[in-house]
Amino acid sequence: MDRITLHTMRFFTHVGCTREERQVGQHIEMDFDAYMDVSRADDHIERTLDYAAAYRAIRATVENAEVNLIETIAERAAAAVLTLGAHEVVVRVRKHAPPIPGAHAAYAEVELRRLKS
């Protein structure tokens, strides 16, 4: 299976388990790896995954959403990419400087893999 990847996409959204986090909002980073057979693309974008369309689809589901979990964002992004022709997708979502009382972490990340049903 062939892979098409976009790394370090940035979106502004309202994610967090506290009301304050969701009110203020923050930037998150996302990557995706879409798996599909591109051997028949033959220089025609409609025969492969248009990564610009994938970016727009992810942005439409993620930007300015108000959710508790980055897992929810990853699920929505994966579903969006699967509707564009990918057979499988891996999505990573990073939330920088997550609020952990008494501790520090550069980011929290969730990675999920979904197959087209």
Side-chain angles (χ1 to χ4, degrees):
M1 196 63 51
D2 305 312
R3 181 179 73 175
I4 298 168
T5 301
L6 274 183
H7 278 275
T8 319
M9 299 175 289
R10 288 193 58 157
F11 302 103
F12 186 82
T13 194
H14 299 268
V15 60
C17 289
T18 66
R19 193 179 72 179
E20 293 80 13
E21 267 189 294
R22 289 188 310 276
Q23 283 180 334
V24 172
Q26 62 197 285
H27 284 95
I28 58 168
E29 288 182 353
M30 298 179 68
D31 311 323
F32 78 79
D33 301 315
Y35 296 88
M36 63 189 302
D37 181 3
V38 299
S39 63
R40 296 186 180 145
D42 196 32
D43 210 30
H44 297 280
I45 196 160
E46 64 275 1
R47 296 181 190 165
T48 186
L49 181 85
D50 179 345
Y51 51 81
Y55 179 92
R56 288 189 302 273
I58 291 170
R59 185 177 71 197
T61 64
V62 170
E63 262 191 354
N64 295 312
E66 188 172 323
V67 299
N68 292 329
L69 303 174
I70 59 176
E71 288 87 338
T72 303
I73 290 171
E75 288 285 357
R76 291 177 181 179
V81 175
L82 287 173
T83 66
L84 297 174
H87 297 293
E88 181 178 355
V89 65
V90 174
V91 174
R92 285 171 296 283
V93 178
R94 284 177 299 286
K95 178 178 176 178
H96 289 273
I100 303 171
H104 174 75
Y107 59 86
E109 180 177 73
V110 62
E111 176 179 303
L112 57 82
R113 178 179 300 264
R114 296 293 179 263
L115 298 170
K116 190 171 197 168
S117 52

